[in-house]
Amino acid sequence: MRTRLNGQAQAALLFLLGATVLHAGLTDLHLRYVKAGLRPLLLLSGAVLIATAAATVWYEWRRPPHAGEAHREPRVAWLLAVPLFALILVAPPALGSYSATHTGTALQKPLGFPELPDEGPLRLGVGEYAARAVYDDGRHLRGRSIRVTGFVAMSGSGDPYLVRMGLNCCAADAQPVKIALTGELPPVLRPDTWLEVTGGYTPRRTKDPVNGGPVPYLEVTRAEPVPAPSDPYDAPWDG
């Protein structure tokens, strides 16, 4: 005799799956899987799953006894539990230095270069600094103090990069943008350590050893370890 899901079991799975999706959407857990802009869709999906579970329970409660036995679902429906247990039991870390060093830079020429503040240190993302350094020849970066935050990755030859992974949609399409570091660096740099780097623009560039893409340098004057941000991914910078 084959095991089949009855209506109550289906409702329980749908409710637990919906509750797990809602939990991910209401916390920072979803940032491990998708970009922040998809949070409303996650919350909506979780609510729909819970509503479907409630409707299933209501239908089962109103159904006459012994009615519809032939319509029970095959046991393959238990596969619905797989993503549920994956979300509950496995919280994967954000993509880090291993992915960065095995994937070529995704730096693209932006649509434009917005004006920067005239005074004070510039706080730029890795993607923005790299794009301005490569495609704008650092015109608005020269002589400015620049602060950038990212995680450390080491090339095969031991050269340090500061990296952020950019998302178009979800972690499956994440691609790195890299800045090569030179100057006053800590004596020991561990891959996946998050650093806030202060320094200045330099016209020096290198090529990504994976795909030959351009990688600009940053002349470092200070580097301080910082906690990993709640959202470890960046959106691609397009100006």
Side-chain angles (χ1 to χ4, degrees), residues 70-129:
H71 297 289
R72 291 189 176 184
E73 300 299 327
R75 59 184 175 183
V76 71
W78 283 104
L79 290 176
L80 281 171
V82 174
L84 170 64
F85 289 117
L87 284 170
I88 294 174
L89 300 176
V90 181
L95 297 176
S97 61
Y98 180 85
S99 297
T101 54
H102 288 77
T103 307
T105 180
L107 183 63
Q108 299 291 328
K109 186 174 182 179
L111 300 176
F113 299 95
E115 292 295 323
L116 293 170
D118 294 329
E119 299 180 355
L122 297 175
R123 286 190 172 273
L124 303 178
V126 170
E128 182 174 1
Y129 174 82

CSV table of all heavy atoms in Angstrom, one decimal, residues 70-129:
chain,number,residue,atom,x,y,z
A,70,ALA,N,-10.5,9.0,-3.9
A,70,ALA,CA,-9.7,8.8,-5.1
A,70,ALA,C,-8.9,10.0,-5.5
A,70,ALA,O,-8.0,9.9,-6.4
A,70,ALA,CB,-10.6,8.4,-6.3
A,71,HIS,N,-9.1,11.1,-4.9
A,71,HIS,CA,-8.4,12.4,-5.3
A,71,HIS,C,-7.2,12.7,-4.4
A,71,HIS,O,-6.7,13.8,-4.5
A,71,HIS,CB,-9.4,13.5,-5.2
A,71,HIS,CG,-10.5,13.4,-6.2
A,71,HIS,ND1,-10.4,13.5,-7.6
A,71,HIS,CD2,-11.8,13.1,-6.0
A,71,HIS,CE1,-11.5,13.3,-8.2
A,71,HIS,NE2,-12.4,13.0,-7.3
A,72,ARG,N,-6.8,11.8,-3.5
A,72,ARG,CA,-5.6,12.1,-2.7
A,72,ARG,C,-4.4,12.1,-3.6
A,72,ARG,O,-4.3,11.4,-4.6
A,72,ARG,CB,-5.5,11.0,-1.6
A,72,ARG,CG,-6.6,11.1,-0.6
A,72,ARG,CD,-6.3,10.2,0.6
A,72,ARG,NE,-7.3,10.4,1.6
A,72,ARG,CZ,-7.3,9.8,2.8
A,72,ARG,NH1,-6.3,8.9,3.1
A,72,ARG,NH2,-8.3,10.0,3.7
A,73,GLU,N,-3.5,13.0,-3.1
A,73,GLU,CA,-2.3,13.2,-3.9
A,73,GLU,C,-1.2,12.1,-3.8
A,73,GLU,O,-1.1,11.5,-2.7
A,73,GLU,CB,-1.7,14.6,-3.5
A,73,GLU,CG,-2.6,15.8,-3.7
A,73,GLU,CD,-3.0,15.9,-5.1
A,73,GLU,OE1,-2.2,15.6,-6.0
A,73,GLU,OE2,-4.2,16.4,-5.4
A,74,PRO,N,-0.4,11.9,-4.8
A,74,PRO,CA,0.6,10.8,-4.7
A,74,PRO,C,1.7,11.3,-3.8
A,74,PRO,O,1.9,12.5,-3.5
A,74,PRO,CB,1.2,10.7,-6.2
A,74,PRO,CG,0.8,12.1,-6.8
A,74,PRO,CD,-0.5,12.5,-6.1
A,75,ARG,N,2.5,10.3,-3.3
A,75,ARG,CA,3.5,10.6,-2.3
A,75,ARG,C,4.6,11.5,-2.8
A,75,ARG,O,5.4,12.0,-2.0
A,75,ARG,CB,4.1,9.3,-1.7
A,75,ARG,CG,4.7,8.4,-2.7
A,75,ARG,CD,5.2,7.1,-2.1
A,75,ARG,NE,5.7,6.2,-3.1
A,75,ARG,CZ,6.1,5.0,-2.7
A,75,ARG,NH1,6.0,4.5,-1.5
A,75,ARG,NH2,6.6,4.2,-3.7
A,76,VAL,N,4.7,11.7,-4.1
A,76,VAL,CA,5.7,12.6,-4.6
A,76,VAL,C,5.5,14.0,-4.0
A,76,VAL,O,6.4,14.9,-4.0
A,76,VAL,CB,5.7,12.6,-6.1
A,76,VAL,CG1,4.5,13.3,-6.7
A,76,VAL,CG2,7.0,13.3,-6.7
A,77,ALA,N,4.3,14.3,-3.6
A,77,ALA,CA,3.9,15.6,-3.0
A,77,ALA,C,4.7,15.9,-1.7
A,77,ALA,O,4.9,17.0,-1.3
A,77,ALA,CB,2.4,15.7,-2.7
A,78,TRP,N,5.2,14.8,-1.1
A,78,TRP,CA,6.1,15.0,0.1
A,78,TRP,C,7.4,15.7,-0.2
A,78,TRP,O,8.0,16.2,0.7
A,78,TRP,CB,6.4,13.6,0.7
A,78,TRP,CG,5.3,13.0,1.5
A,78,TRP,CD1,4.4,12.0,1.1
A,78,TRP,CD2,4.8,13.5,2.8
A,78,TRP,NE1,3.5,11.8,2.1
A,78,TRP,CE2,3.7,12.6,3.1
A,78,TRP,CE3,5.2,14.4,3.7
A,78,TRP,CZ2,3.0,12.8,4.3
A,78,TRP,CZ3,4.6,14.6,4.9
A,78,TRP,CH2,3.5,13.7,5.2
A,79,LEU,N,7.7,15.8,-1.5
A,79,LEU,CA,8.9,16.6,-1.9
A,79,LEU,C,8.8,18.1,-1.5
A,79,LEU,O,9.7,18.8,-1.5
A,79,LEU,CB,9.2,16.4,-3.4
A,79,LEU,CG,9.7,15.0,-3.8
A,79,LEU,CD1,9.8,15.0,-5.3
A,79,LEU,CD2,11.0,14.7,-3.2
A,80,LEU,N,7.5,18.5,-1.3
A,80,LEU,CA,7.3,19.9,-0.8
A,80,LEU,C,8.1,20.1,0.5
A,80,LEU,O,8.4,21.3,0.8
A,80,LEU,CB,5.8,20.2,-0.6
A,80,LEU,CG,5.0,20.5,-1.8
A,80,LEU,CD1,3.5,20.5,-1.5
A,80,LEU,CD2,5.4,21.8,-2.5
A,81,ALA,N,8.3,19.1,1.2
A,81,ALA,CA,9.0,19.2,2.5
A,81,ALA,C,10.5,19.5,2.3
A,81,ALA,O,11.2,20.0,3.2
A,81,ALA,CB,8.9,18.0,3.4
A,82,VAL,N,11.1,19.2,1.1
A,82,VAL,CA,12.5,19.3,1.0
A,82,VAL,C,13.0,20.8,1.1
A,82,VAL,O,13.9,21.1,1.9
A,82,VAL,CB,13.0,18.8,-0.4
A,82,VAL,CG1,14.4,19.1,-0.7
A,82,VAL,CG2,12.7,17.2,-0.4
A,83,PRO,N,12.4,21.8,0.3
A,83,PRO,CA,12.8,23.2,0.5
A,83,PRO,C,12.5,23.7,1.9
A,83,PRO,O,13.2,24.5,2.5
A,83,PRO,CB,12.0,23.9,-0.5
A,83,PRO,CG,10.8,23.1,-0.9
A,83,PRO,CD,11.3,21.7,-0.7
A,84,LEU,N,11.4,23.1,2.6
A,84,LEU,CA,11.1,23.5,3.9
A,84,LEU,C,12.3,23.2,4.9
A,84,LEU,O,12.8,24.1,5.6
A,84,LEU,CB,9.8,22.8,4.4
A,84,LEU,CG,9.5,23.0,5.9
A,84,LEU,CD1,9.2,24.4,6.2
A,84,LEU,CD2,8.3,22.1,6.2
A,85,PHE,N,12.7,21.9,4.8
A,85,PHE,CA,13.8,21.5,5.7
A,85,PHE,C,15.1,22.2,5.3
A,85,PHE,O,16.0,22.5,6.2
A,85,PHE,CB,13.9,20.0,5.7
A,85,PHE,CG,12.8,19.3,6.5
A,85,PHE,CD1,11.9,18.5,5.8
A,85,PHE,CD2,12.6,19.5,7.8
A,85,PHE,CE1,10.9,17.8,6.4
A,85,PHE,CE2,11.5,18.9,8.5
A,85,PHE,CZ,10.7,18.1,7.8
A,86,ALA,N,15.3,22.5,4.1
A,86,ALA,CA,16.5,23.2,3.6
A,86,ALA,C,16.6,24.6,4.2
A,86,ALA,O,17.6,25.0,4.7
A,86,ALA,CB,16.6,23.2,2.1
A,87,LEU,N,15.4,25.3,4.2
A,87,LEU,CA,15.4,26.6,4.8
A,87,LEU,C,15.6,26.6,6.3
A,87,LEU,O,16.2,27.5,6.9
A,87,LEU,CB,14.1,27.3,4.4
A,87,LEU,CG,13.9,27.8,3.0
A,87,LEU,CD1,12.5,28.2,2.7
A,87,LEU,CD2,14.8,29.0,2.8
A,88,ILE,N,15.0,25.6,6.9
A,88,ILE,CA,15.1,25.5,8.4
A,88,ILE,C,16.5,25.1,8.9
A,88,ILE,O,17.0,25.6,9.8
A,88,ILE,CB,14.0,24.6,8.9
A,88,ILE,CG1,12.6,25.1,8.7
A,88,ILE,CG2,14.2,24.3,10.4
A,88,ILE,CD1,11.5,24.2,9.0
A,89,LEU,N,17.0,24.0,8.2
A,89,LEU,CA,18.2,23.4,8.7
A,89,LEU,C,19.5,24.0,8.1
A,89,LEU,O,20.6,23.9,8.8
A,89,LEU,CB,18.2,21.9,8.5
A,89,LEU,CG,17.0,21.2,9.1
A,89,LEU,CD1,17.0,19.7,8.7
A,89,LEU,CD2,17.0,21.3,10.6
A,90,VAL,N,19.4,24.5,6.9
A,90,VAL,CA,20.7,25.0,6.3
A,90,VAL,C,20.5,26.5,5.9
A,90,VAL,O,19.7,26.8,5.1
A,90,VAL,CB,20.9,24.2,5.0
A,90,VAL,CG1,22.2,24.6,4.3
A,90,VAL,CG2,21.0,22.7,5.3
A,91,ALA,N,21.3,27.3,6.6
A,91,ALA,CA,21.4,28.7,6.3
A,91,ALA,C,22.8,29.0,5.6
A,91,ALA,O,23.8,29.2,6.3
A,91,ALA,CB,21.2,29.6,7.5
A,92,PRO,N,22.9,28.9,4.3
A,92,PRO,CA,24.2,29.0,3.7
A,92,PRO,C,24.8,30.3,3.8
A,92,PRO,O,24.1,31.4,3.9
A,92,PRO,CB,23.8,28.7,2.2
A,92,PRO,CG,22.4,29.2,2.0
A,92,PRO,CD,21.7,28.9,3.3
A,93,PRO,N,26.1,30.4,4.0
A,93,PRO,CA,26.8,31.7,4.1
A,93,PRO,C,26.7,32.4,2.7
A,93,PRO,O,26.5,31.8,1.7
A,93,PRO,CB,28.2,31.3,4.4
A,93,PRO,CG,28.4,29.9,3.9
A,93,PRO,CD,27.1,29.2,4.0
A,94,ALA,N,26.9,33.7,2.8
A,94,ALA,CA,27.0,34.4,1.5
A,94,ALA,C,28.2,34.0,0.7
A,94,ALA,O,29.2,33.6,1.3
A,94,ALA,CB,27.1,35.9,1.9
A,95,LEU,N,28.1,34.1,-0.6
A,95,LEU,CA,29.2,33.8,-1.5
A,95,LEU,C,30.4,34.7,-1.1
A,95,LEU,O,30.2,35.9,-0.8
A,95,LEU,CB,28.8,34.0,-2.9
A,95,LEU,CG,27.7,33.1,-3.4
A,95,LEU,CD1,27.3,33.5,-4.9
A,95,LEU,CD2,28.0,31.6,-3.3
A,96,GLY,N,31.6,34.1,-1.1
A,96,GLY,CA,32.7,34.8,-0.7
A,96,GLY,C,33.9,34.7,-1.6
A,96,GLY,O,33.8,34.6,-2.8
A,97,SER,N,35.1,34.6,-1.0
A,97,SER,CA,36.3,34.6,-1.7
A,97,SER,C,36.5,33.5,-2.7
A,97,SER,O,37.1,33.7,-3.8
A,97,SER,CB,37.5,34.7,-0.7
A,97,SER,OG,37.6,33.5,0.0
A,98,TYR,N,36.0,32.3,-2.4
A,98,TYR,CA,36.2,31.2,-3.3
A,98,TYR,C,35.5,31.5,-4.6
A,98,TYR,O,36.0,31.4,-5.7
A,98,TYR,CB,35.7,29.9,-2.7
A,98,TYR,CG,35.8,28.7,-3.6
A,98,TYR,CD1,37.0,28.0,-3.7
A,98,TYR,CD2,34.8,28.3,-4.5
A,98,TYR,CE1,37.1,26.9,-4.6
A,98,TYR,CE2,34.9,27.3,-5.4
A,98,TYR,CZ,36.1,26.6,-5.4
A,98,TYR,OH,36.2,25.5,-6.3
A,99,SER,N,34.2,32.0,-4.5
A,99,SER,CA,33.5,32.3,-5.7
A,99,SER,C,34.1,33.5,-6.5
A,99,SER,O,34.2,33.5,-7.7
A,99,SER,CB,32.0,32.7,-5.4
A,99,SER,OG,31.4,31.6,-4.8
A,100,ALA,N,34.6,34.5,-5.7
A,100,ALA,CA,35.2,35.6,-6.3
A,100,ALA,C,36.5,35.3,-7.1
A,100,ALA,O,36.7,35.9,-8.2
A,100,ALA,CB,35.6,36.7,-5.2
A,101,THR,N,37.3,34.4,-6.6
A,101,THR,CA,38.6,34.1,-7.3
A,101,THR,C,38.4,33.1,-8.4
A,101,THR,O,39.3,32.9,-9.2
A,101,THR,CB,39.6,33.5,-6.3
A,101,THR,OG1,39.0,32.4,-5.6
A,101,THR,CG2,40.0,34.6,-5.3
A,102,HIS,N,37.2,32.5,-8.5
A,102,HIS,CA,36.9,31.5,-9.6
A,102,HIS,C,36.0,32.1,-10.6
A,102,HIS,O,35.5,31.4,-11.5
A,102,HIS,CB,36.4,30.2,-9.0
A,102,HIS,CG,37.4,29.4,-8.3
A,102,HIS,ND1,37.9,29.7,-7.0
A,102,HIS,CD2,38.1,28.3,-8.7
A,102,HIS,CE1,38.8,28.8,-6.7
A,102,HIS,NE2,39.0,27.9,-7.7
A,103,THR,N,35.6,33.4,-10.4
A,103,THR,CA,34.7,34.0,-11.4
A,103,THR,C,35.3,35.4,-11.8
A,103,THR,O,35.8,36.1,-10.9
A,103,THR,CB,33.3,34.3,-10.7
A,103,THR,OG1,32.8,33.1,-10.2
A,103,THR,CG2,32.3,34.9,-11.7
A,104,GLY,N,35.3,35.7,-13.1
A,104,GLY,CA,35.8,36.9,-13.5
A,104,GLY,C,35.0,38.1,-13.1
A,104,GLY,O,33.8,38.0,-12.8
A,105,THR,N,35.7,39.3,-13.1
A,105,THR,CA,35.0,40.5,-12.7
A,105,THR,C,33.8,40.8,-13.6
A,105,THR,O,33.9,40.6,-14.8
A,105,THR,CB,36.0,41.7,-12.7
A,105,THR,OG1,35.3,42.9,-12.3
A,105,THR,CG2,36.6,41.9,-14.1
A,106,ALA,N,32.8,41.3,-13.0
A,106,ALA,CA,31.6,41.6,-13.8
A,106,ALA,C,31.5,43.1,-14.0
A,106,ALA,O,30.4,43.6,-14.3
A,106,ALA,CB,30.3,41.1,-13.1
A,107,LEU,N,32.6,43.8,-13.9
A,107,LEU,CA,32.5,45.3,-14.0
A,107,LEU,C,32.1,45.7,-15.4
A,107,LEU,O,32.6,45.2,-16.4
A,107,LEU,CB,33.9,45.9,-13.8
A,107,LEU,CG,34.1,47.4,-13.9
A,107,LEU,CD1,33.2,48.1,-12.8
A,107,LEU,CD2,35.5,47.8,-13.7
A,108,GLN,N,31.0,46.6,-15.5
A,108,GLN,CA,30.5,47.0,-16.8
A,108,GLN,C,30.5,48.6,-16.8
A,108,GLN,O,30.5,49.2,-15.8
A,108,GLN,CB,29.0,46.6,-16.9
A,108,GLN,CG,28.9,45.0,-16.9
A,108,GLN,CD,29.4,44.4,-18.2
A,108,GLN,OE1,29.4,45.0,-19.2
A,108,GLN,NE2,29.9,43.2,-18.0
A,109,LYS,N,30.6,49.1,-18.0
A,109,LYS,CA,30.6,50.5,-18.1
A,109,LYS,C,29.2,51.1,-17.8
A,109,LYS,O,28.2,50.6,-18.3
A,109,LYS,CB,30.9,50.9,-19.6
A,109,LYS,CG,31.1,52.5,-19.8
A,109,LYS,CD,31.6,52.8,-21.2
A,109,LYS,CE,31.8,54.3,-21.3
A,109,LYS,NZ,32.2,54.7,-22.7
A,110,PRO,N,29.2,52.1,-16.8
A,110,PRO,CA,27.9,52.6,-16.4
A,110,PRO,C,27.3,53.5,-17.4
A,110,PRO,O,27.9,54.0,-18.4
A,110,PRO,CB,28.2,53.3,-15.1
A,110,PRO,CG,29.6,53.7,-15.3
A,110,PRO,CD,30.3,52.6,-16.1
A,111,LEU,N,26.0,53.9,-17.2
A,111,LEU,CA,25.3,54.8,-18.1
A,111,LEU,C,25.8,56.2,-17.9
A,111,LEU,O,25.8,57.0,-18.9
A,111,LEU,CB,23.8,54.8,-17.8
A,111,LEU,CG,23.1,53.4,-18.0
A,111,LEU,CD1,21.7,53.5,-17.6
A,111,LEU,CD2,23.3,53.0,-19.4
A,112,GLY,N,26.3,56.6,-16.7
A,112,GLY,CA,26.8,57.9,-16.5
A,112,GLY,C,27.6,57.9,-15.2
A,112,GLY,O,27.6,56.9,-14.5
A,113,PHE,N,28.1,59.1,-14.8
A,113,PHE,CA,28.8,59.3,-13.6
A,113,PHE,C,28.2,60.5,-12.8
A,113,PHE,O,28.6,61.7,-13.1
A,113,PHE,CB,30.3,59.5,-13.9
A,113,PHE,CG,30.9,58.4,-14.6
A,113,PHE,CD1,31.1,58.4,-16.0
A,113,PHE,CD2,31.4,57.3,-13.9
A,113,PHE,CE1,31.6,57.3,-16.6
A,113,PHE,CE2,32.0,56.2,-14.6
A,113,PHE,CZ,32.1,56.2,-15.9
A,114,PRO,N,27.3,60.2,-11.9
A,114,PRO,CA,26.8,61.3,-11.1
A,114,PRO,C,27.8,62.2,-10.4
A,114,PRO,O,28.9,61.7,-10.0
A,114,PRO,CB,25.8,60.6,-10.1
A,114,PRO,CG,25.6,59.3,-10.7
A,114,PRO,CD,26.8,58.9,-11.5
A,115,GLU,N,27.5,63.4,-10.1
A,115,GLU,CA,28.4,64.3,-9.4
A,115,GLU,C,28.6,63.8,-8.0
A,115,GLU,O,27.7,63.2,-7.3
A,115,GLU,CB,27.8,65.7,-9.3
A,115,GLU,CG,27.8,66.4,-10.7
A,115,GLU,CD,29.2,66.6,-11.3
A,115,GLU,OE1,30.1,66.9,-10.5
A,115,GLU,OE2,29.3,66.5,-12.5
A,116,LEU,N,29.8,64.0,-7.5
A,116,LEU,CA,30.2,63.6,-6.1
A,116,LEU,C,30.3,64.8,-5.2
A,116,LEU,O,30.5,65.9,-5.7
A,116,LEU,CB,31.6,62.9,-6.1
A,116,LEU,CG,31.6,61.5,-6.9
A,116,LEU,CD1,33.1,61.1,-7.0
A,116,LEU,CD2,30.8,60.5,-6.2
A,117,PRO,N,30.1,64.6,-3.9
A,117,PRO,CA,30.2,65.7,-2.9
A,117,PRO,C,31.6,66.4,-3.1
A,117,PRO,O,32.6,65.7,-3.3
A,117,PRO,CB,30.1,65.0,-1.6
A,117,PRO,CG,29.3,63.8,-1.8
A,117,PRO,CD,29.8,63.3,-3.2
A,118,ASP,N,31.6,67.7,-2.9
A,118,ASP,CA,32.9,68.4,-3.0
A,118,ASP,C,33.8,68.3,-1.8
A,118,ASP,O,35.0,68.5,-2.0
A,118,ASP,CB,32.6,69.9,-3.3
A,118,ASP,CG,31.8,70.2,-4.6
A,118,ASP,OD1,32.1,69.4,-5.5
A,118,ASP,OD2,31.0,71.1,-4.6
A,119,GLU,N,33.3,68.0,-0.7
A,119,GLU,CA,34.1,68.0,0.5
A,119,GLU,C,33.9,66.6,1.3
A,119,GLU,O,32.9,65.9,1.1
A,119,GLU,CB,33.7,69.1,1.5
A,119,GLU,CG,33.9,70.5,0.9
A,119,GLU,CD,33.5,71.6,1.8
A,119,GLU,OE1,33.0,71.3,2.9
A,119,GLU,OE2,33.7,72.8,1.5
A,120,GLY,N,34.9,66.4,2.1
A,120,GLY,CA,34.9,65.2,3.0
A,120,GLY,C,35.3,63.9,2.2
A,120,GLY,O,35.4,63.9,1.0
A,121,PRO,N,35.6,62.9,3.0
A,121,PRO,CA,35.9,61.6,2.3
A,121,PRO,C,34.7,61.0,1.5
A,121,PRO,O,33.6,61.2,1.9
A,121,PRO,CB,36.3,60.7,3.5
A,121,PRO,CG,35.6,61.3,4.7
A,121,PRO,CD,35.5,62.8,4.4
A,122,LEU,N,35.1,60.4,0.5
A,122,LEU,CA,34.0,59.8,-0.4
A,122,LEU,C,33.8,58.3,0.1
A,122,LEU,O,34.7,57.5,0.1
A,122,LEU,CB,34.5,59.8,-1.9
A,122,LEU,CG,34.7,61.1,-2.5
A,122,LEU,CD1,35.3,60.9,-3.9
A,122,LEU,CD2,33.4,61.9,-2.6
A,123,ARG,N,32.5,58.0,0.4
A,123,ARG,CA,32.2,56.6,0.7
A,123,ARG,C,31.6,56.0,-0.6
A,123,ARG,O,30.5,56.4,-1.0
A,123,ARG,CB,31.2,56.6,1.8
A,123,ARG,CG,31.8,56.8,3.2
A,123,ARG,CD,30.8,56.5,4.3
A,123,ARG,NE,31.4,56.6,5.6
A,123,ARG,CZ,32.0,55.6,6.2
A,123,ARG,NH1,32.1,54.5,5.6
A,123,ARG,NH2,32.6,55.8,7.4
A,124,LEU,N,32.3,55.1,-1.2
A,124,LEU,CA,31.9,54.5,-2.5
A,124,LEU,C,31.8,53.0,-2.3
A,124,LEU,O,32.5,52.4,-1.5
A,124,LEU,CB,32.9,54.8,-3.6
A,124,LEU,CG,33.2,56.3,-3.8
A,124,LEU,CD1,34.3,56.4,-5.0
A,124,LEU,CD2,31.9,57.1,-4.2
A,125,GLY,N,30.9,52.4,-3.1
A,125,GLY,CA,30.9,51.0,-3.2
A,125,GLY,C,32.0,50.5,-4.0
A,125,GLY,O,32.6,51.2,-4.8
A,126,VAL,N,32.3,49.2,-3.9
A,126,VAL,CA,33.3,48.6,-4.7
A,126,VAL,C,33.0,48.8,-6.2
A,126,VAL,O,33.9,49.2,-7.0
A,126,VAL,CB,33.5,47.1,-4.4
A,126,VAL,CG1,34.4,46.4,-5.4
A,126,VAL,CG2,34.0,46.9,-3.0
A,127,GLY,N,31.8,48.6,-6.6
A,127,GLY,CA,31.4,48.7,-8.0
A,127,GLY,C,31.5,50.2,-8.5
A,127,GLY,O,32.0,50.4,-9.6
A,128,GLU,N,31.1,51.1,-7.7
A,128,GLU,CA,31.2,52.5,-8.1
A,128,GLU,C,32.7,53.0,-8.2
A,128,GLU,O,33.1,53.6,-9.2
A,128,GLU,CB,30.5,53.4,-7.1
A,128,GLU,CG,30.5,54.9,-7.6
A,128,GLU,CD,29.7,55.8,-6.7
A,128,GLU,OE1,29.1,55.3,-5.8
A,128,GLU,OE2,29.7,57.0,-7.0
A,129,TYR,N,33.5,52.6,-7.2
A,129,TYR,CA,34.9,53.0,-7.4
A,129,TYR,C,35.5,52.4,-8.6
A,129,TYR,O,36.2,53.1,-9.4
A,129,TYR,CB,35.7,52.6,-6.1
A,129,TYR,CG,37.2,52.9,-6.3
A,129,TYR,CD1,37.7,54.1,-6.1
A,129,TYR,CD2,38.1,51.8,-6.7
A,129,TYR,CE1,39.1,54.4,-6.3
A,129,TYR,CE2,39.4,52.1,-7.0
A,129,TYR,CZ,39.9,53.4,-6.7
A,129,TYR,OH,41.2,53.6,-7.0
